[in-house]
Amino acid sequence: MRTARIFGNYCVKKGYTSTNAAAEVPLLKMRHTVGATYTQAQLKRLLEAPDISTFEGVRDLAIMLTFADTGIRLSELEAIRTADVVFPDRAINIQRTKNGYARRIPMTKRLQSVLRAYMKVRGLDEFTSSLFITIDDKPLNARSIQYQIREHGRRSGVLEDVQCSPHVFRRTFAKFKIKAGVDIFTLQQLMGHSDITELRKYVAIYSTDLDEAIEKGIK
């Protein structure tokens, strides 16, 4: 209908017709929808998929846990440098963001533990400061990160039920935080959203506030 209105306005402007026939037709209300997310069980299977006896396995676990525990964007994770991980502050400083504003993301205890283990096997590298690197000490690019996540999804069987990608981790992070009662403004800061429009969808679908409120005031 929006397209029809635009085309109708164009026809009026060009003189093909005197009125826009679509102008008076009401638009359908948009439904609150969000994309695919993982269940707790699916997330657990994904995180258990990497072979942590290898460098790549420890790295991939660190990557997926960073996605799972921070809700970070793929472009932001790709740009993390080793100096951005500040263990004394228990945080990752995100320097390259979608809206241009740097932000600090606190690390969970399990993420701190896994990143410490990864950085130990990663070692010091004079050729690149990128946090996540290949076995050949080259920065790991976005396409390789996406590929590795899909592979772990395939090996774990999760890919049979849901798409396995960085953005699914991000949506899952938002879902779990809303269901746990984290307020929308705190979540906005954690995820780096410039406004709360997108997050309102998660609140509408996943918030338990209504469940908790239904018994209040009832005698």
Side-chain angles (χ1 to χ4, degrees):
M1 286 310 305
R2 286 189 176 87
T3 303
R5 285 186 176 186
I6 292 171
F7 179 68
N9 288 334
Y10 170 81
C11 290
V12 171
K13 183 178 179 180
K14 288 293 186 178
Y16 301 147
T17 181
S18 59
T19 59
N20 182 355
E24 301 302 321
V25 181
L27 296 176
L28 295 175
K29 292 185 177 180
M30 297 294 291
R31 297 184 64 182
H32 287 298
T33 59
V34 296
T37 59
Y38 302 123
T39 64
Q40 289 283 8
Q42 289 169 337
L43 185 58
K44 184 174 185 292
R45 284 160 58 193
L46 265 179
L47 295 176
E48 290 176 347
D51 179 3
I52 58 173
S53 67
T54 66
F55 167 77
E56 292 96 334
V58 176
R59 179 201 64 199
D60 291 354
L61 173 59
I63 287 172
M64 291 195 292
L65 196 58
T66 301
F67 280 127
D69 283 12
T70 68
I72 195 172
R73 296 180 177 92
L74 173 59
S75 60
E76 294 171 341
L77 181 136
E78 182 187 14
I80 296 176
R81 303 291 184 245
T82 53
D84 296 330
V85 182
V86 186
F87 289 111
D89 190 35
R90 301 190 301 277
I92 301 174
N93 294 322
I94 308 301
Q95 307 291 346
R96 184 178 132 188
T97 63
K98 184 176 180 180
N99 60 17
Y101 293 99
R103 73 183 188 280
R104 171 187 176 274
I105 303 181
M107 288 189 286
T108 61
K109 292 179 180 178
R110 68 173 182 173
L111 180 55
Q112 291 180 66
S113 177
V114 169
L115 280 180
R116 283 185 186 275
Y118 165 67
M119 293 182 78
K120 184 175 181 179
V121 297
R122 178 194 185 280
L124 298 175
D125 190 332
E126 62 185 27
F127 300 106
T128 178
S129 61
S130 295
L131 176 61
F132 296 112
I133 58 177
T134 68
I135 194 70
D136 299 319
D137 297 332
K138 296 178 181 179
L140 199 65
N141 61 40
R143 181 169 295 183
S144 295
I145 294 169
Q146 291 171 315
Y147 173 80
Q148 289 302 115
I149 291 175
R150 280 196 303 272
E151 281 298 289
H152 291 304
R154 181 183 61 79
R155 294 189 192 103
S156 65
V158 175
L159 190 59
E160 297 176 6
D161 302 316
V162 63
Q163 178 187 3
C164 294
S165 72
H167 204 67
V168 177
F169 277 102
R170 183 168 167 83
R171 289 194 294 257
T172 302
F173 176 84
K175 178 182 76 171
F176 288 163
K177 291 302 179 188
I178 291 293
K179 294 185 73 170
V182 174
D183 71 88
I184 193 170
F185 298 106
T186 299
L187 186 56
Q188 177 188 5
Q189 294 299 314
L190 288 172
M191 298 186 69
H193 281 287
S194 57
D195 61 64
I196 62 173
T197 303
E198 185 68 21
L199 291 178
R200 285 185 183 277
K201 299 177 184 178
Y202 290 88
V203 174
I205 295 173
Y206 297 119
S207 177
T208 59
D209 289 350
L210 293 179
D211 299 336
E212 296 167 359
I214 196 67
E215 295 291 345
K216 294 180 180 179
I218 302 298
K219 296 184 180 180

